[in-house]
Amino acid sequence: MGAVNSTSLVVNPPHSPQLVSDTDSLNHGDVIFRPLEGVYGRLFNHFGIYIGEKDVIHFTCDPNGAGLVERVDYETFAQGKRVHIEIDFSPNNSKKRPGRRIAQSALNIYYNLDGTKSDWDTYNNITLNCEHFASFCATGLKYSKQTKKYSPSSRDPGSFSSSSSSSETSLFSVSPMIPSSNRSPNSISSNNGPSSFPLSNMGP
């Protein structure tokens, strides 16, 4: 998070995020983000993983602070705001996975195919937020540039240990969203999930 403009929080220039014009400009596994609501949107963003079929998997929390890995349609994720594609994963750029693997990682967690969904049972702005989730899917590391920049208890790069508060629990999260009901027959819609995801149907 090096410089702030009116629409996004740009980290470590010259790695500028790419503005999304529509879902046709997105590829499976793109890490996308949009500003938070209200005054927080001037500093912080909400992150998700585009998985195709105009759907996004993201990490948020319920009103009680419990973590939720949700699948929603792109428009629900965007909430009418400008969406960007994250292209800077420093200091972990060398660990950036191919798009297919990023999307697969998000789907594995959502459907608990790898048995790790319980790792996301608790949401915390400082230690486990939406950017940690997106970074984990993209690089295998739970990293948050937002908390590294703005947390007063910053120690390890993007990794923190501090007692949680109500503000820590909810700042980067959004209210649980309603998943899309307009998916094609080939898309995944059952909470039981498949034994594997059809990567052959995925784009770049």
Side-chain angles (χ1 to χ4, degrees):
M1 292 189 180
V4 179
N5 61 30
S6 60
T7 59
S8 66
L9 200 56
V10 181
V11 183
N12 295 333
H15 298 284
S16 299
Q18 302 170 355
L19 180 65
V20 177
S21 55
D22 53 47
T23 54
D24 289 338
S25 66
L26 290 170
N27 293 315
H28 295 81
D30 278 344
V31 176
I32 59 177
F33 64 88
R34 51 100 175 143
L36 291 182
E37 297 292 337
V39 64
Y40 291 122
R42 300 172 65 179
L43 294 175
F44 302 113
N45 296 304
H46 183 63
F47 284 76
I49 305 294
Y50 184 73
I51 59 167
E53 296 287 341
K54 299 185 178 181
D55 277 3
V56 177
I57 290 179
H58 70 140
F59 181 50
T60 182
C61 69
D62 67 15
N64 296 319
L68 293 174
V69 178
E70 290 189 322
R71 177 174 177 166
V72 299
D73 62 69
Y74 173 83
E75 295 301 327
T76 300
F77 174 85
Q79 295 189 354
K81 299 181 181 298
R82 300 180 76 179
V83 176
H84 288 78
I85 301 171
E86 179 64 283
I87 61 173
D88 176 29
F89 295 90
S90 59
N92 303 313
N93 282 318
S94 64
K95 300 181 184 298
K96 170 81 160 42
R97 297 165 168 171
R100 288 173 175 240
R101 190 176 174 193
I102 295 173
Q104 180 70 72
S105 179
L107 284 157
N108 284 348
I109 296 170
Y110 178 67
Y111 288 112
N112 202 29
L113 299 182
D114 57 4
T116 64
K117 192 169 186 178
S118 61
D119 293 348
W120 306 93
D121 284 347
T122 302
Y123 192 103
N124 184 281
N125 281 335
I126 305 302
T127 60
L128 200 65
N129 63 44
C130 59
E131 190 178 11
H132 286 107
F133 175 82
S135 174
F136 180 76
C137 292
T139 68
L141 299 172
K142 296 175 183 176
Y143 186 88
S144 173
K145 289 176 286 190
Q146 297 184 109
T147 54
K148 176 176 171 55
K149 175 68 175 179
Y150 290 100
S151 170
S153 60
S154 174
R155 287 184 291 274
D156 296 329
S159 177
F160 305 89
S161 295
S162 64
S163 58
S164 65
S165 66
S166 59
S167 61
E168 287 177 346
T169 302
S170 60
L171 173 59
F172 293 103
S173 67
V174 294
S175 299
M177 299 177 179
I178 301 174
S180 170
S181 60
N182 299 317
R183 301 196 180 101
S184 72
N186 294 326
S187 65
I188 302 170
S189 59
S190 169
N191 283 334
N192 293 327
S195 58
S196 63
F197 184 72
L199 288 178
S200 60
N201 294 333
M202 298 178 66

